């Protein structure tokens, strides 16, 4: 066999070996492609690949295209997929302390969110997540500005919620909505548009930027902008998968996660600032809640949430709240 042919075979074999050595990491999330945090997830994926010098092949599947939103946590914990991203309130009763930031008017400071990824509070949650079968690798702040959406009129006082059927976010937060007279329905974000369009629900509460990216303005015509909760998306992997990574690959995940935390804050601040005018541009009616209106919401919602959060999270919730106080 000619030396040139032998060399070509060796090069091909080496390339095949390198390809086989590449670690595939499939990551599922629920966000639509245009969502500002979906774009951050894509950027994070590219950064993981760059930091690992291509040894990790990150394959992102958004918009519920690989695993449904409510199934992501279990799929990763069982090792059916390697990675997923979930919103904090999707942990529900499995790990209710994840809902600490959705306490009405509890953690709306951007400065606090800048400190979050390396804080004791985040470390505390990471340990609890590991106990539930997932290894956290990224914190992505999504919003501290929400909207109450509706048709026909603004929902700008607690009385406006009486008799309204609306999408809730989780047991503790929903107590605040129910205290104002609403009936809540549990739905993943990807199903809310259709539920609003068909009248299954009358109204919703969501990130102001999500109201734009998910095109709620096509099925709702009134939006009240409120700093009622803070939400985050977080990325996590199967612990067994993580343990099998090289030290360099683990470092790549850490560096990319730290960078993505900053990108998420920048993207979320920009999206929250522009979304109200984007909604107005469609002809939707947008009202920014006044201080007095926010105080009226807070007076009803906060005690209801606090009672529910305490009942669900016990001593762990109290400890976490104390840690969060350090970065406020």
């Amino acid at each position: 066999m000619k030396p040139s042919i032998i060399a070509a075979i060796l090069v091909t074999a080496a390339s095949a070996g390198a390809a086989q050595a590449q670690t595939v990491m499939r990551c599922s999330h629920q966000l639509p492609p245009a969502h500002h945090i979906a774009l951050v997830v894509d950027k994070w994926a590219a950064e993981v690949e760059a930091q690992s010098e291509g040894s990790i092949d990150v394959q992102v599947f958004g918009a519920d295209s690989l695993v449904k939103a409510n199934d992501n946590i279990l799929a990763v914990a069982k090792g059916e997929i390697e990675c997923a991203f979930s919103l904090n309130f999707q942990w529900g009763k499995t790990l209710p302390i994840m809902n600490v930031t959705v306490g009405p008017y509890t953690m709306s400071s951007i400065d606090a969110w800048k400190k979050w990824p390396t804080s004791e509070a985040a470390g505390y949650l990471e340990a609890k997540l590991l106990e539930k079968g997932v290894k956290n690798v990224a914190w992505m702040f999504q919003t501290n500005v929400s909207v109450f959406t509706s048709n026909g009129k603004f929902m700008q006082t607690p009385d406006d919620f009486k008799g309204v059927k609306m999408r809730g976010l989780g047991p503790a937060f929903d107590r605040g909505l129910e205290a104002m007279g609403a009936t809540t329905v549990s739905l993943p974000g990807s199903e809310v548009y259709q539920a609003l369009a068909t009248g299954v629900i009358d109204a919703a509460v969501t990130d102001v930027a999500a109201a734009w990216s998910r095109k709620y303005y096509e099925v709702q015509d009134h939006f009240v902008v409120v700093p009622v909760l803070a939400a985050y998306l977080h990325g996590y992997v199967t612990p067994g998968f993580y343990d099998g990574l090289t030290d360099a690959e683990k470092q790549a995940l850490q560096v990319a996660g730290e960078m993505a935390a900053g990108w998420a804050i920048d993207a979320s601040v920009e999206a929250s600032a522009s979304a109200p005018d984007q909604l107005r541009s469609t002809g939707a009616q947008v009202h920014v809640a006044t201080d007095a209106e926010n105080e009226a919401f807070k007076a009803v919602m906060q005690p209801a949430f606090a009672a529910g959060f305490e009942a669900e999270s016990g001593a762990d919730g109290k400890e976490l709240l104390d840690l969060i106080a350090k970065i406020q």
Side-chain angles (χ1 to χ4, degrees):
M1 189 178 290
K2 292 182 179 179
S4 59
I5 296 176
I6 294 173
I9 291 172
L10 291 173
V11 168
T12 301
S15 298
Q20 290 172 356
Q22 193 175 46
T23 300
V24 174
M25 186 167 75
R26 295 163 297 167
C27 293
S28 170
H29 70 77
Q30 72 185 69
L31 300 176
H35 194 286
H36 64 285
I37 296 298
L39 300 177
V40 174
V41 172
D42 290 341
K43 190 174 179 180
W44 166 84
E47 191 61 35
V48 171
E49 293 183 344
Q51 290 290 334
S52 69
E53 297 183 347
S55 71
I56 300 179
D57 175 19
V58 186
Q59 300 175 4
V60 177
F61 298 84
D64 285 342
S65 59
L66 181 63
V67 177
K68 296 297 183 183
N70 290 339
D71 299 326
N72 278 327
I73 295 168
L74 187 58
V76 172
K78 292 172 66 176
E80 294 173 354
I81 58 174
E82 296 79 23
C83 163
F85 287 80
S86 292
L87 291 163
N88 54 314
F89 49 78
Q90 287 172 325
W91 280 89
K93 295 180 180 179
T94 304
L95 190 59
I97 57 172
M98 289 290 281
N99 290 328
V100 66
T101 66
V102 303
Y105 303 92
T106 295
M107 190 171 166
S108 55
S109 165
I110 293 298
D111 287 339
W113 278 104
K114 289 178 179 178
K115 300 172 187 175
W116 174 264
T118 57
S119 68
E120 291 179 80
Y124 185 84
L125 280 181
E126 287 171 352
K128 294 296 183 182
L129 286 165
L130 195 56
E131 291 176 8
K132 295 298 182 182
V134 301
K135 166 68 178 175
N136 202 76
V137 295
W139 297 106
M140 297 183 184
F141 167 72
Q142 179 170 322
T143 186
N144 62 346
V145 183
S146 304
V147 281
F148 293 135
T149 81
S150 56
N151 270 330
K153 67 172 186 176
F154 290 120
M155 296 203 305
Q156 62 191 100
T157 72
D159 283 346
D160 294 330
F161 286 72
K162 290 180 178 177
V164 175
K165 183 185 290 186
M166 63 188 300
R167 183 248 185 149
L169 299 181
F173 180 82
D174 291 357
R175 283 184 174 87
L177 299 175
E178 290 159 4
M180 295 190 294
T183 300
T184 59
V185 176
S186 177
L187 289 171
S190 58
E191 296 178 14
V192 177
Y193 178 99
Q194 186 66 17
L196 290 168
T198 57
V200 171
I201 55 175
D202 308 312
V205 54
T206 190
D207 165 23
V208 64
W212 166 254
S213 65
R214 291 188 181 278
K215 300 183 179 181
Y216 280 22
Y217 52 82
E218 293 180 349
V219 290
Q220 300 270 268
D221 53 26
H222 282 67
F223 299 82
V224 177
V225 181
V226 283
V228 70
L229 64 92
Y232 57 88
L233 194 80
H234 71 113
Y236 50 92
V237 298
T238 308
F241 168 79
Y242 181 84
D243 292 341
L245 298 177
T246 66
D247 289 344
E249 289 170 335
K250 291 175 182 176
Q251 179 69 10
L253 279 177
Q254 180 179 337
V255 172
E258 291 171 353
M259 296 174 72
W263 298 333
I265 290 174
D266 292 342
S268 294
V269 169
E270 181 179 349
S272 293
S274 59
D277 281 341
Q278 289 173 321
L279 291 170
R280 289 188 183 100
S281 73
T282 69
Q285 300 296 306
V286 179
H287 170 72
V288 178
T290 65
D291 290 345
E293 288 167 346
N294 281 315
E295 285 300 319
F297 286 137
K298 181 178 178 180
V300 179
M301 297 182 73
Q302 200 169 69
F305 172 87
F309 185 71
E310 182 179 351
E312 291 170 4
S313 61
D316 287 348
K318 174 66 168 62
E319 187 172 356
L320 180 57
L321 284 169
D322 290 342
L323 293 175
I324 285 177
K326 294 182 179 182
I327 60 174
Q328 292 283 37

